[in-house]
Amino acid sequence: MTCVREDLTALLDGALPPARREAVNRHLEGCGACRAERDRLAATLAALSRLPEPPEPSPGFDARLAARIARERRPGLLSRLAGLRWTVAAPAAGLAAAAVVATVAIRERRLADEAVAANLEFLADYEIAASLGDVETAEDAAVVLALDQLAR
Amino acid sequence: MVPDPDAALMLAFQRGDPSAFRTLYQRHARAMVAFCHHFVRDSARAEELAQDVFVKLYRAGHRYTPRARFKTFLYRVAANHCLNEVRRGEYGAREREDRDGPSDPDRIASPAPSPEEAAEGAALERAVRGLLARLPEKQRAALVLCRFEGMSYEEIAQVLETTVPAVKSLVHRATVTAAEALAPGGAARMEEALP
């Protein structure tokens, strides 16, 4: 047997079949270099076993996970958008972005400009969607605001 | 196949029992966070990744078929998600920082006269971070599953969807690299060898 080095980690892990394990151990009895390599790898495994445990999840972890799962129960705007083809999403993104801008303009300045007039139909759809509860989280709102970026 | 209570829970969830899914993530969420932490070494991101894994499970619930143990299935999803995450390159800078940072593995291998356990643990952690950053992704996954998750070669082969001999090779090469990284002066030698 000329080389057992490829088997040394598996030997230390107890993952060699019995016959192979016996053969490797016989080789080690007569080969100082391979014994030294086995000892080096054994010391490495011992060092790795002393690695501190990863930190515990933060206190809000369970609540955040439960909230994400709860959001999955009701398909929202986010998941619907994920299913859109980009060819549909791109023009929709532009319209939605315009609609958001238009909404702000209406509510804050109450100015009816040409952009609003051009997008009134979509704006109506948007507000209907919002009234149905599709846009009720900050995440959904962020998606709407970032639609132009998604479409690029 | 040995009865797998987790797979039974997943099937119960598939039949419409949301409490079954809640039990699943209560059982495995902490282990998932720890597993993801080994890949990204950032607590907040590890939590997000672990949550992503459960959301993926939730979405895929209706397609679930218990072909393997649930734990194998879960870690396969998690390993793929984490590997995709590190492939995105978002962690490149952090990994370089870990490689180039103040890691001093000599402190680990040297028989320091009276090292404080906390300091030794911190040094070891930095050294292992640097090691994981250097390992090819399959070796990294195999090392994490073997050394930190305690999986057998057979289980790792199922998670990584490869053969047991391939896992044996991956784990051995990763362990040899770890031996070099944790040896006195090892970190410096490895830096010189990097392109």
Side-chain angles (χ1 to χ4, degrees):
Chain A
M1 186 182 297
T2 56
C3 181
V4 299
R5 294 196 171 202
E6 292 291 319
D7 289 320
L8 291 177
T9 303
L11 176 74
L12 293 167
D13 284 332
L16 286 181
R20 182 62 183 163
R21 183 176 65 238
E22 287 178 22
V24 171
N25 280 329
R26 275 199 305 276
H27 175 84
L28 288 173
E29 288 172 8
C31 180
C34 284
R35 281 201 305 276
E37 177 66 0
R38 177 201 59 192
D39 294 345
R40 184 176 79 117
L41 295 176
T44 301
L45 300 194
L48 290 174
S49 71
R50 293 196 298 272
L51 189 71
E53 292 290 318
E56 283 286 305
S58 58
F61 174 78
D62 288 342
R64 287 197 303 279
L65 176 53
R68 284 190 65 180
I69 295 297
R71 279 204 297 275
E72 290 294 315
R73 289 182 187 145
R74 179 182 52 75
L77 181 62
L78 190 64
S79 55
R80 288 190 206 170
L81 287 171
L84 285 179
R85 290 175 178 276
W86 288 124
T87 51
V88 175
L95 285 170
V100 170
V101 170
T103 303
V104 171
I106 288 170
R107 289 181 179 171
E108 294 189 0
R109 290 179 286 171
R110 296 183 179 280
L111 294 175
D113 57 23
E114 291 183 4
V116 174
N119 292 290
L120 272 178
E121 186 178 346
F122 185 85
L123 180 59
D125 290 343
Y126 174 82
E127 293 197 336
I128 289 169
S131 72
L132 292 173
D134 285 319
V135 185
E136 63 182 18
T137 67
E139 190 178 10
D140 286 347
V143 168
V144 172
L145 290 170
L147 275 175
D148 60 326
Q149 296 172 13
L150 289 173
R152 281 173 193 163
Chain B
M1 187 186 292
V2 177
D4 181 352
D6 288 337
L9 283 168
M10 196 66 184
L11 291 173
F13 164 63
Q14 198 173 54
R15 291 191 298 268
D17 177 5
S19 69
F21 193 81
R22 194 178 313 122
T23 304
L24 274 175
Y25 72 66
Q26 284 170 345
R27 280 187 187 178
H28 296 285
R30 276 166 175 71
M32 271 297 100
V33 173
F35 178 71
C36 295
H37 192 272
H38 288 306
F39 280 86
V40 297
R41 303 172 316 283
D42 176 283
S43 296
R45 193 67 191 112
E47 290 186 8
E48 287 175 19
L49 289 173
Q51 290 178 8
D52 292 346
V53 169
F54 284 100
V55 169
K56 281 174 183 276
L57 284 188
Y58 191 95
R59 289 175 180 165
H62 64 284
R63 297 195 304 270
Y64 175 72
T65 308
R67 294 193 189 90
R69 289 177 62 218
F70 175 79
K71 185 180 172 188
T72 303
F73 171 68
L74 176 65
Y75 277 84
R76 184 181 299 161
V77 173
N80 285 335
H81 190 54
C82 289
L83 288 173
N84 283 337
E85 184 73 8
V86 296
R87 273 184 210 128
R88 285 170 48 193
E90 187 177 319
Y91 296 93
R94 191 178 302 144
E95 288 179 355
R96 278 192 298 279
E97 184 181 307
D98 288 334
R99 260 186 354 213
D100 302 338
S103 174
D104 182 11
D106 294 7
R107 293 174 58 190
I108 301 153
S110 301
S114 56
E116 294 178 10
E117 282 187 11
E120 185 186 0
L124 177 61
E125 193 163 10
R126 285 196 299 274
V128 171
R129 284 178 183 176
L131 164 69
L132 291 174
R134 281 189 291 266
L135 285 176
E137 60 185 39
K138 282 277 186 178
Q139 287 187 41
R140 179 187 336 207
L143 188 79
V144 167
L145 290 166
C146 183
R147 302 287 165 238
F148 306 134
E149 300 298 328
M151 286 190 180
S152 69
Y153 289 12
E154 288 78 11
E155 288 175 312
I156 297 169
Q158 289 181 355
V159 169
L160 298 182
E161 297 182 274
T162 185
T163 63
V164 171
V167 169
K168 178 175 168 247
S169 176
L170 287 169
V171 170
H172 177 66
R173 280 183 282 145
T175 306
V176 168
T177 305
E180 291 162 3
L182 301 184
R189 280 197 302 276
M190 294 189 80
E191 291 305 323
E192 288 170 8
L194 285 172

